[in-house]
Amino acid sequence: MGLGHRFARAGLVAGASLALVAAATPRATMHRIFDRFAELLPLVLDDEHFLDETSQARIGTLLGELDDVSEALEAHAAQRDADFQYHAGGLSNDLREARRRFDRGAPEEARFFVVTATQYCVACHSRVPKARNFPLASRLTHEAAIQSLDGDERALFHVATRSFGTALDEFEGFLLDPGTDPRRISIGDTIYHYLTIAIRVERDPARAARTLAQLAERSDLGDEFQQVVAAWRADLATYGPSVATPPSLARARELASAGEAEGAAARTGLVRDLVASSDLLQIIDRDAAPADERAEAYYWLGVIGDRHAFAFWHPETATHLERAVRLAPGGPHAQDALARLEEHWRFVYGGSGGLHLPREANATLEELRHLVAEAKASAAPPAPGAAREADEAD
């Protein structure tokens, strides 16, 4: 597998960033940015062209132009929900870092940041049901650099450029190809990505069910994974139809909390958690939703993200749990969200034995503890005699 392929598997698709940027810019600027990405992507993925001196000069120019968009993108994101801010900020930061590394003479490092930045596009576009496709993405489909990718990698490209139907075609072609190594199906994350797009974005559980039925016919996937597939198929039949109905916090709570008792078997609950997260993401996107409802939605999203962090693109577990506390520090889930957030960070930064956290993480935890303590104090009933003493003082 070439260098371009290895980077693609890590998150791929430099051209994809445009779809996220497009939401923040007028149409004319959107076209201009896409033109830059359409030119940059083949240069980034093709090893020979990437190292060519002429291409290097052009890559530097393109990175500079893309970096210049970051400020506008982040300003737009400030008016959106925490998830959008997270993805937009991550994309902008990686683009800035790519430009900085390139300018200081480290093109390979720059390429890494350009390609990994696009994971934020994939993550953002896999959140909620599609609103629209991105027709200009078809201009890149026939590029040699794209066609040379494996089927699962091309699928990620199409997710990032909002060509969801084509993405599902590519995913299915990869998963159902008899020549695909069964380990890349049973152990890899492609099946997770496929189910996320089919259920949460395209709202097509019947299509996912058909694919899993065909997958179950393979005899080389192993008994354990066959049991997982059987659980997914059963849950698709039971819960799949609900993705076409209005979101329900009660339903999402029931589905998400069911996985709490499963522990290590949480993988079998992926379909159920995708249905729950579909409801929850729509709830937090509704400006009219009360703060306590959005806080609970963020909490359950954090719980789900923690269960499946290894399977998703840039999981927002910490962002969701932090937001749950900030929105309702006196709410019923605040204490648990805070405890989960600290546990999550100790796991993430476990290189130090889980005992020491970065300064920023510790500062955030301390701030959240203070918010919860203040909310608890303000909600506590007055001490015996306090009311009488206050009256006497008056």
Side-chain angles (χ1 to χ4, degrees):
M1 178 177 293
L3 184 56
H5 282 213
R6 292 199 301 274
F7 281 142
R9 194 171 300 284
L12 180 7
V13 236
S17 307
L18 169 66
L20 183 57
V21 175
T25 59
R27 182 173 295 274
T29 304
M30 176 185 73
H31 289 181
R32 180 176 63 85
I33 297 170
F34 183 83
D35 285 341
R36 272 53 178 180
F37 267 120
E39 183 178 354
L40 179 63
L41 179 58
L43 297 176
V44 167
L45 293 182
D46 188 296
D47 292 349
E48 182 178 348
H49 283 127
F50 180 74
L51 298 175
D52 178 77
E53 185 174 333
T54 302
S55 297
Q56 293 271 297
R58 184 57 182 156
I59 289 171
T61 299
L62 293 170
L63 286 175
E65 292 173 353
L66 288 169
D67 181 29
D68 289 340
V69 182
S70 297
E71 185 174 347
L73 175 61
E74 290 186 283
H76 175 74
Q79 309 303 315
R80 300 285 297 277
D81 62 77
D83 280 7
F84 190 88
Q85 293 175 32
Y86 172 82
H87 296 307
L91 175 63
S92 298
N93 289 337
D94 277 5
L95 287 176
R96 289 194 197 101
E97 190 64 22
R99 181 182 189 180
R100 188 176 72 85
R101 301 288 179 114
F102 193 89
D103 288 347
R104 78 178 192 190
E108 290 287 359
E109 296 177 14
R111 171 155 69 169
F112 174 81
F113 278 100
V114 168
V115 178
T116 57
T118 62
Q119 294 181 53
Y120 290 102
C121 305
V122 177
C124 188
H125 297 162
S126 63
R127 292 179 62 238
V128 294
K130 66 177 181 180
R132 60 184 177 88
N133 284 329
F134 188 62
L136 290 180
S138 61
R139 286 178 46 189
L140 284 176
T141 301
H142 301 295
E143 286 279 356
I146 300 301
Q147 291 303 312
S148 68
L149 301 172
D150 288 348
D152 56 338
E153 295 166 345
R154 288 196 303 272
L156 288 181
F157 163 75
H158 291 298
V159 172
T161 54
R162 301 188 65 81
S163 300
F164 300 116
T166 305
L168 289 180
D169 290 341
E170 293 284 6
F171 277 130
E172 289 166 355
F174 174 82
L175 292 169
L176 301 178
D177 183 351
T180 298
D181 186 333
R183 291 171 297 182
R184 294 183 65 182
I185 299 174
S186 60
I187 300 176
D189 51 14
T190 300
I191 187 66
Y192 287 81
H193 299 166
Y194 170 73
L195 290 173
T196 299
I197 301 305
I199 296 170
R200 203 163 69 188
V201 179
E202 286 289 276
R203 291 182 171 185
D204 196 349
R207 179 171 182 169
R210 290 192 299 271
T211 299
L212 291 180
Q214 292 177 264
L215 201 59
E217 295 177 1
R218 291 190 60 150
S219 60
D220 57 354
L221 295 180
D223 292 342
E224 182 179 351
F225 186 67
Q226 287 286 10
Q227 292 174 11
V228 172
V229 171
W232 289 344
R233 294 177 66 189
D235 283 346
L236 276 171
T238 303
Y239 306 114
S242 68
V243 300
T245 65
S248 164
L249 180 57
R251 177 175 62 211
R253 180 192 305 122
E254 179 182 356
L255 294 178
S257 60
E260 290 293 82
E262 295 181 353
R267 188 185 191 199
T268 61
L270 175 66
V271 165
R272 190 177 56 226
D273 280 343
L274 284 173
V275 173
S277 66
S278 177
D279 282 351
L280 297 169
L281 287 165
Q282 292 178 77
I283 289 169
I284 66 173
D285 279 349
R286 291 190 315 203
D287 294 334
D292 59 337
E293 288 188 9
R294 285 186 289 122
E296 184 176 358
Y298 274 117
Y299 169 73
W300 288 116
L301 281 171
V303 171
I304 290 171
D306 215 17
R307 279 202 286 265
H308 304 288
F310 63 91
F312 295 135
W313 309 282
H314 283 305
E316 305 98 314
T317 302
T319 301
H320 289 154
L321 293 173
E322 179 181 348
R323 191 63 178 159
V325 178
R326 291 190 184 280
L327 277 172
H333 298 290
Q335 289 275 14
D336 196 13
L338 181 56
R340 284 178 177 271
L341 176 59
E342 182 170 3
E343 181 181 0
H344 171 75
W345 271 339
R346 293 199 183 280
F347 176 79
V348 169
Y349 300 109
S352 60
L355 299 177
H356 304 289
L357 297 178
R359 182 179 302 174
E360 290 185 3
N362 271 321
T364 297
L365 289 173
E366 187 59 32
E367 181 185 359
L368 295 179
R369 291 189 193 102
H370 181 69
L371 290 175
V372 171
E374 277 193 332
K376 184 177 180 181
S378 64
R388 184 178 69 253
E389 292 175 5
D391 289 340
E392 293 174 353
D394 290 341

